[in-house]
Amino acid sequence: MATKKPRIGVFKFASCDGCQLSLLDCEDELLAIADAVEIGYFLEATRKPLTGEFDIALVEGSISTPEQIEQIHDIRNRSRMLVTIGACATAGGIQALRNFADVREFLSAVYASPEYIDTLKTSTPIADHVRVDFELRGCPVSKHHLVELISATLAGRRPNIPRHSVCIDCKRLGLTCLPVAYGIPCLGPITQSGCGVICPSYHRGCYGCFGPAHRTNVQGLVRAYQSAGVPEETLDLLLHTFNAWAPGFRESTRSVPEELLSRSTGPGGSGER
Amino acid sequence: MAKRKSGKAKTIQVRALARVEGEGAFTIVLQDDRVADVKLEIYEPPRFYEAFMRGRQATEAPDITARICGICPVAYQMSAVRAIEKAYGIQVPEPIRSLRRLLYCGEWIESHVLHMYLLHAPDFFGYESAIAMAQASAELKAHVERGLRMKKIGNAIVEVVGGRAVHPINVRVGGFYRAPTKDELQALVDDLRWGRDAAIETARWVASLDFPDFTDDYEFACIRSDHHYAILEGDVVTNRGLRISEDEFLQYFREEQVPYSHALHSRRVLPESPGADDRFAGCYQVGPLARWNLNRDVAPDLVRQVEQDLPVSFPTTNPFHSIVARALEVLLAYHEAIRIIEDYEQPDPSWVPFEPRAGHGCAITEAPRGMLYHEYHTDDAGYLTKVTIIPPTSQNQLRIEKDLYMIAPRLIDLPQDQACWQAEFAIRNYDPCISCATHFLKLKIERLPTSAH
């Protein structure tokens, strides 16, 4: 058996803290996890300073300031395995809406003295800056995925995180199809599984928290909804929220400047890289 | 860098503030054994919510603003729906308002218990984390386990009513996508009864802690109803006699940029302008301590009785007693949740239909950390034209700095580690949620002051 406990670090960039909170929301597993690993860095939970190396780095948040670019390289250098947790780290988050706009105008809209703010023009996923070994989707991530990721890594196997669409899970649950029965636009056919089909269970169309599923036809769905009479504007807003910058969703907007579209690759539909 | 004429200068700085949600740092600059300055720096990067929400549909605001803070998304959703309903002239019936209060109780429990057990209690016992505390002794482990179970029940309320614990999906302008059935809610009641008892034990436990001796002439602010403990709506009141409607908030409380700190601070607008040297003029405190001090007369009898038997008496001006106020609010939230479920009739329809219109509306609800102000302007097609959000941590920031300024003289002779910890301990009284404070500016300029004499 291993003599030394694996060392885990939890790191945060531009984000809401909800994904790392999901780790503290594993109330039944938290103390067991804490016994199985050494929590080396986790500011939301402990005062321990940042030192040494990590077997697993869990990274929340997107890169949006010059300082964060340096920090993510430092974390990459300290870590054997780097996992992005959530839509901000994996796709740039809702703050990536700035990528479609003029950030200088945003600055002066929010701050009286914009010159004091040090920010990048874009909010980008971690994978645009360093190598990412695995990514967990979601806004927020699923806590079951977090526990699976940690257990699998401790056991030396690949995490079992499905890449199919919400639509498939919804059919398995036998829920009434919202677009077909009620004409409610739903991103279930193109969004990756993982949330537990919450929105359709509450009679609400999926709004894409887990980003584009593997090999989906986003444009096909958009055309189908348009021909069913859903306004283009509605679909545009629906695709442009927490995963707006994810490849698959970002090309479907009318407002993306061409030069930005060709700029970065970002994470694709598959989890491992 | 300024030249120092005499004496020793010492800077206590903590770069990353642990066990707060978000990213912050603080600095205390001492000169000649005298506190020259304190700063709470926020290096949470700006995310520009108020800018990118322009041109979005007003109905998207509850889901989008929830992402400002993963710890208190319900608060953002509740302030957003209420403000937009005012803009659209929507009257929401009582059963839906009750369900919102139940959802909010779930968030208060989850957020307060997280803070008390996992973030704040380790300070009182001298551990770096709740995990280290749980590993230290069987007795402390039992406390942490009780806290985790209490927190889980708060999350369960949010999951049943809201769909999931972080960023609930079931809230919409006008009500809920689907109202839970009576059976779904009834299934929570056994756990809630356990939680209510556990909350009483918690209140007794935290009230028995050793509190640092500290006081000041605080101005506390919160919303108030004369009929019940206000969470979702009420007048804005303070302990200095202010009572105004939420629509008047910006006339009496203002976010200002102060040149010496480059940070936005909220402060009371004072009748006469303060002396130029009083940088803390108009600071005020929001959150559980403010609420319990000002609204405990309308709290349920059970909670008032439990409070009466505690060794801490209210109203109190010791900010370290905030952990006790938090515990009493957790008890109140469990009690209210049980009452709402027992009286529950599933609202049908679960939301009020409406048409968008040009208008504007503002609303304040009580986030776990204090008053959360949202204001929206819409055009006639329902697109947002202007958005203003004032989170509780932004309102507390100046008050936190004043606490640090006052506590700093005690830190001078402590070893650096201890001094940092004591200052962090004081900051954590406010449970600062720095992700919320979208306005905070990064503060880079570091000036050592010259000696005053």
Side-chain angles (χ1 to χ4, degrees):
Chain A
M1 291 299 287
T3 51
K4 196 162 171 284
K5 287 181 184 177
R7 193 159 190 265
I8 291 189
V10 182
F11 302 91
K12 174 191 153 65
F13 293 91
S15 66
C16 78
D17 290 69
C19 290
Q20 47 177 322
L21 177 68
S22 299
L23 196 57
L24 296 178
D25 279 350
C26 299
E27 292 95 354
D28 295 334
E29 299 90 359
L30 186 66
L31 293 180
I33 292 172
D35 283 337
V37 302
E38 182 200 343
I39 297 181
Y41 188 76
F42 186 3
L43 279 185
E44 194 173 300
T46 167
R47 300 184 72 245
K48 270 188 197 172
L50 175 56
T51 54
E53 297 185 342
F54 299 90
D55 295 292
I56 309 174
L58 301 176
V59 179
E60 175 190 280
S62 67
I63 301 299
S64 69
T65 69
E67 195 180 22
Q68 289 176 336
I69 297 176
E70 291 169 35
Q71 287 168 348
I72 191 61
H73 280 100
D74 177 52
I75 292 164
R76 176 70 266 186
N77 291 337
R78 292 169 181 273
S79 308
R80 274 185 45 220
M81 179 176 176
L82 188 153
V83 181
T84 57
I85 56 170
C88 295
T90 302
I94 188 137
Q95 57 274 16
L97 291 178
R98 81 176 65 169
N99 302 1
F100 304 99
D102 176 2
V103 80
R104 285 167 303 180
E105 192 278 327
F106 273 23
L107 270 166
S108 50
V110 179
Y111 296 98
S113 298
E115 63 274 22
Y116 298 131
I117 308 280
D118 202 3
T119 189
L120 296 172
K121 286 178 184 164
T122 54
S123 163
T124 45
I126 301 300
D128 278 12
H129 304 274
V130 296
R131 182 170 55 82
V132 170
D133 299 296
F134 201 85
E135 58 184 35
L136 292 185
R137 301 284 197 83
C139 183
V141 287
S142 150
K143 66 181 192 180
H144 306 296
H145 284 183
L146 274 175
V147 172
E148 165 62 12
L149 175 96
I150 293 169
S151 324
T153 308
L154 293 180
R157 63 174 172 82
R158 285 177 48 171
N160 178 19
I161 312 277
R163 301 283 162 197
H164 59 254
S165 71
V166 171
C167 205
I168 290 172
D169 291 346
C170 191
K171 299 293 169 288
R172 282 179 184 149
L173 287 177
L175 296 174
T176 304
C177 181
L178 296 171
V180 171
Y182 303 101
I184 297 172
C186 175
L187 296 185
I190 55 169
T191 298
Q192 185 177 296
S193 145
C195 62
V197 205
I198 314 169
C199 288
S201 310
Y202 280 77
H203 203 74
R204 172 181 190 176
C206 166
Y207 62 103
C209 297
F210 277 65
H214 190 40
R215 291 183 186 159
T216 49
N217 183 354
V218 177
Q219 288 311 317
L221 186 77
V222 168
R223 281 194 297 274
Y225 282 149
Q226 277 177 333
S227 62
V230 179
E232 190 182 358
E233 182 64 27
T234 303
L235 295 168
D236 195 46
L237 291 175
L238 199 52
L239 285 165
H240 288 89
T241 59
F242 323 108
N243 290 285
W245 197 241
F249 284 4
R250 80 174 178 225
E251 299 83 356
S252 57
T253 181
R254 293 167 301 160
S255 49
V256 189
E258 278 299 319
E259 84 254 19
L260 288 178
L261 277 178
S262 56
R263 222 195 92 249
S264 80
T265 49
S270 85
E272 279 176 295
R273 340 185 36 91
Chain B
M1 197 58 51
K3 263 187 278 181
R4 299 201 304 273
K5 287 181 192 163
S6 66
K8 63 174 183 180
K10 178 179 174 184
T11 300
I12 296 170
Q13 189 176 45
V14 174
R15 279 305 299 163
L17 185 59
R19 276 190 274 128
V20 302
E21 301 91 0
E23 299 278 304
F26 66 87
T27 307
I28 302 171
V29 180
L30 303 174
Q31 180 83 55
D32 299 336
D33 292 345
R34 194 182 59 84
V35 178
D37 198 12
V38 295
K39 288 176 288 199
L40 180 61
E41 295 178 49
I42 306 300
Y43 47 86
E44 185 73 23
R47 287 177 291 159
F48 304 112
Y49 275 83
E50 288 146 314
F52 70 63
M53 286 178 73
R54 294 168 306 168
R56 306 289 305 204
Q57 272 289 325
T59 48
E60 294 184 286
D63 290 317
I64 291 179
T65 59
R67 269 66 182 186
I68 292 174
C69 178
I71 323 288
C72 57
V74 171
Y76 280 86
Q77 295 188 331
M78 293 296 110
S79 286
V81 291
R82 272 202 51 239
I84 292 159
E85 284 157 6
K86 276 170 74 177
Y88 284 179
I90 303 167
Q91 298 294 325
V92 175
E94 180 52 35
I96 291 174
R97 300 206 323 249
S98 277
L99 201 50
R100 286 178 173 172
R101 189 170 169 92
L102 175 62
L103 179 65
Y104 225 140
C105 285
E107 178 159 288
W108 273 25
I109 293 169
E110 174 272 324
S111 176
H112 278 356
V113 173
L114 171 76
H115 186 262
M116 287 190 296
Y117 279 92
L118 295 183
L119 311 180
H120 209 190
D123 284 333
F124 287 91
F125 293 93
Y127 293 99
E128 66 189 12
S129 70
I131 290 162
M133 198 167 89
Q135 288 165 343
S137 79
E139 191 201 337
L140 286 172
K141 187 178 185 187
H143 284 302
V144 174
E145 284 174 340
R146 179 179 63 210
L148 287 171
R149 186 170 166 200
M150 289 171 70
K151 177 171 161 303
K152 190 181 177 186
I153 297 167
N155 277 337
I157 298 175
V158 181
E159 282 164 14
V160 171
V161 181
R164 69 179 163 201
V166 177
H167 305 326
I169 55 89
N170 195 23
V171 172
R172 61 176 298 163
V173 174
F176 291 89
Y177 285 90
R178 175 174 80 73
T181 63
K182 197 165 173 64
D183 286 349
E184 283 176 301
L185 294 183
Q186 199 62 40
L188 295 167
V189 169
D190 285 349
D191 275 345
L192 290 171
R193 291 206 176 103
W194 176 88
R196 186 174 57 188
D197 292 344
I200 294 172
E201 284 179 58
T202 302
R204 291 176 182 151
W205 178 53
V206 298
S208 72
L209 298 171
D210 280 334
F211 299 100
D213 187 24
F214 186 90
T215 187
D216 192 26
D217 179 22
Y218 285 89
E219 179 158 26
F220 295 107
C222 63
I223 61 169
R224 176 179 172 86
S225 154
D226 292 334
H227 310 293
H228 63 273
Y229 202 83
I231 300 176
L232 274 158
E233 53 198 303
D235 291 338
V236 176
V237 298
T238 81
N239 55 325
R240 294 189 188 158
L242 184 75
R243 183 160 186 153
I244 55 167
S245 83
E246 65 190 0
D247 298 320
E248 299 170 288
F249 181 75
L250 291 183
Q251 294 167 37
Y252 291 85
F253 298 84
R254 203 164 284 164
E255 280 189 310
E256 290 175 343
Q257 191 159 21
V258 281
Y260 44 81
S261 84
H262 298 165
L264 290 177
H265 291 164
S266 282
R267 59 174 89 219
R268 269 289 303 279
V269 178
L270 300 170
E272 66 261 26
S273 60
D277 56 339
D278 188 3
R279 63 167 288 212
F280 300 113
C283 67
Y284 62 101
Q285 181 180 155
V286 298
L289 190 60
R291 290 189 296 250
W292 188 256
N293 275 341
L294 290 168
N295 289 337
R296 41 195 249 293
D297 62 308
V298 286
D301 290 343
L302 168 74
V303 192
R304 295 171 67 189
Q305 282 160 15
V306 169
E307 187 239 89
Q308 288 297 313
D309 298 334
L310 298 179
V312 173
S313 56
F314 290 89
T316 170
T317 52
N318 182 342
F320 292 92
H321 290 155
S322 59
I323 193 170
V324 184
R326 230 167 248 121
L328 291 165
E329 286 195 339
V330 169
L331 174 58
L332 180 139
Y334 274 115
H335 178 87
E336 286 283 280
I338 294 166
R339 180 189 62 77
I340 292 167
I341 291 172
E342 281 171 350
D343 296 345
Y344 181 71
E345 293 300 331
Q346 190 177 349
D348 183 24
S350 61
W351 57 284
V352 182
F354 57 88
E355 292 295 327
R357 70 180 194 196
H360 91 277
C362 66
I364 298 175
T365 69
E366 285 287 350
R369 288 152 196 79
M371 291 193 290
L372 170 60
Y373 179 88
H374 283 216
E375 183 174 350
Y376 299 95
H377 292 252
T378 56
D379 68 12
D380 53 11
Y383 290 99
L384 295 170
T385 55
K386 185 164 184 273
V387 177
T388 304
I389 294 168
I390 304 177
T393 296
S394 165
Q395 298 176 66
N396 274 334
Q397 198 202 353
L398 191 61
R399 185 58 251 187
I400 297 173
E401 285 191 335
K402 188 170 183 201
D403 282 8
L404 287 172
Y405 182 79
M406 292 176 65
I407 217 165
R410 305 182 197 178
L411 308 180
I412 300 171
D413 298 319
L414 293 176
Q416 177 89 3
D417 273 14
Q418 283 299 311
C420 287
W421 194 327
Q422 290 305 310
E424 280 191 33
F425 188 8
I427 292 173
R428 272 194 284 276
N429 285 327
Y430 293 83
D431 188 6
C433 176
I434 289 160
S435 291
C436 297
T438 52
H439 283 309
F440 283 141
L441 311 191
K442 183 171 169 179
L443 195 146
K444 293 169 88 176
I445 300 165
E446 178 77 58
R447 288 196 189 90
L448 269 182
T450 52
S451 181
H453 41 79

